[in-house]
Amino acid sequence: MNAIGYFFIQKIVQKIEKQLNFLFTEQAFQNLVIHLAIAVKRIRENKFVREFSLSPRLKMTPEYAAASGMIMALGSKMNLNFPVSEIDYAAVHILGSKIQINDDKNTIDSFLSNYDESEINLAKAILSISSKILQTELAGDKQLFMQLIQHLRPTIIRMKQGLSLINPLLLQIKREYPAIYAAAWACNDVFENIVGVPLNENEAAYIAMHLIAGISKYKPKYKAVVVCASGIGTSQFITNRLEQNFPDMEIVMTLPYTDLTDKIREQADVIIS
């Protein structure tokens, strides 16, 4: 597909955001664009997603209507005929990306009511296995649990349909987070038992990305003190740059050198001047 085709797909997804009055996360936006680009390629090669069961209730949602309009517009632009199964598949992506997650029990119950028992059990199993391997309690993280379920629905559909979604961060995750990737890969048995197909390395890397995000919330940050003699404007600039480039660092104080005491030195993990 050429650049014009990708640009058109991005415009379609942006239109969906306006229609549904919400914004995708950057990752969800790119995933949907990639999914649509792959769908165009598949349809041109006469490779179709096999039909799967999408509940009538979900087919009545605004998200499903948006997915239908999106696929129709794409088919018209590309001169392709998309089957209904492609609308269903696109709707799954949109529905999975839209849900706002918090820790309220009513919200959690409402969230889980949209998912199958197999999807919920698979997420629980992944967090249980990963917690034991990484010696980190992830099973009790409700946000991570729901985000993982949200990710698993399109993953299960892809795997059952024999579709592959390339993870561009696969090699980086293997290199920089080998233990977390290994924990994700160790979930292969539960995938075979619950989904009926084995896990592949690209999908394992996507799961690892969720585990990385979950673990990072519990990782203690280094406490830093910024010592600057060039004025508040310069010190604030330096502080902002440090926070952007070192997310594991917490700037607890910014002060001139004359205010730096032994007590402050003892409380800080690092002093930057």
Side-chain angles (χ1 to χ4, degrees):
M1 181 180 295
N2 58 29
I4 295 176
Y6 279 111
F7 181 75
F8 179 77
I9 291 175
Q10 290 174 339
K11 286 295 184 182
I12 288 180
V13 176
Q14 289 169 350
K15 184 178 179 180
I16 292 297
E17 290 180 319
K18 292 180 181 179
Q19 182 178 341
L20 297 176
N21 194 31
F22 79 95
L23 294 176
F24 290 110
T25 63
E26 182 178 353
Q27 180 181 352
F29 185 95
Q30 293 300 327
N31 282 347
L32 186 53
V33 170
I34 291 170
H35 162 72
L36 293 173
I38 291 174
V40 169
K41 185 176 186 297
R42 282 193 293 99
I43 299 301
R44 284 175 173 167
E45 296 174 356
N46 292 317
K47 297 178 181 178
F48 303 99
V49 173
R50 293 189 297 272
E51 292 187 9
F52 57 93
S53 177
L54 196 62
S55 72
R57 179 172 55 84
L58 292 180
K59 289 192 175 186
M60 297 298 292
T61 61
E63 292 82 4
Y64 189 87
S68 179
M70 177 176 68
I71 293 298
M72 289 178 64
L74 188 60
S76 176
K77 176 69 174 181
M78 303 296 178
N79 195 28
L80 296 170
N81 291 319
F82 285 85
V84 174
S85 58
E86 295 291 347
I87 298 175
D88 293 350
Y89 196 17
V92 166
H93 279 270
I94 296 174
L95 285 161
S97 300
K98 182 179 185 294
I99 298 170
Q100 300 297 315
I101 297 174
N102 60 49
D103 291 337
D104 178 75
K105 185 180 185 302
N106 291 331
T107 301
I108 295 173
D109 291 342
S110 176
F111 175 91
L112 294 179
S113 69
N114 291 301
Y115 290 85
D116 297 333
E117 185 178 358
S118 61
E119 295 163 342
I120 296 171
N121 289 339
L122 181 57
K124 288 180 178 179
I126 290 171
L127 292 181
S128 176
I129 293 170
S130 300
S131 294
K132 292 177 182 178
I133 293 175
L134 299 172
Q135 295 295 297
T136 303
E137 182 50 51
L138 298 174
D141 188 330
K142 295 176 182 177
Q143 286 198 339
L144 175 59
F145 174 53
M146 289 188 287
Q147 288 167 351
L148 190 56
I149 295 173
Q150 185 177 332
H151 167 78
L152 286 173
R153 172 171 286 177
T155 299
I156 291 171
I157 293 171
R158 280 198 304 271
M159 294 175 67
K160 285 186 173 181
Q161 301 299 324
L163 303 176
S164 178
L165 181 61
I166 301 301
N167 190 328
L169 298 177
L170 172 62
L171 295 180
Q172 182 179 349
I173 291 170
K174 283 184 172 181
R175 182 176 63 253
E176 297 182 11
Y177 302 96
I180 298 177
Y181 177 79
W185 189 251
C187 298
N188 180 60
D189 285 348
V190 296
F191 264 87
E192 289 190 329
N193 292 334
I194 296 176
V195 182
V197 292
L199 190 63
N200 61 62
E201 61 178 9
N202 283 288
E203 299 292 1
Y206 278 116
I207 291 172
M209 290 169 66
H210 285 278
L211 299 178
I212 291 166
I215 290 173
S216 66
K217 291 188 293 186
Y218 303 103
K219 186 177 180 180
K221 292 188 175 184
Y222 295 102
K223 294 182 178 180
V225 172
V226 176
V227 177
C228 186
S230 303
I232 188 66
T234 302
S235 63
Q236 188 60 51
F237 173 77
I238 293 173
T239 297
N240 290 340
R241 291 296 299 273
L242 287 170
E243 289 177 339
Q244 290 173 5
N245 289 282
F246 300 97
D248 293 338
M249 180 183 296
E250 178 186 2
I251 309 298
V252 296
M253 193 177 301
T254 303
L255 42 72
Y257 179 77
T258 53
D259 291 346
L260 183 62
T261 64
D262 290 338
K263 183 177 181 180
I264 293 174
R265 292 177 188 270
E266 292 173 359
Q267 294 175 342
D269 295 312
V270 60
I271 296 174
I272 301 171
S273 62

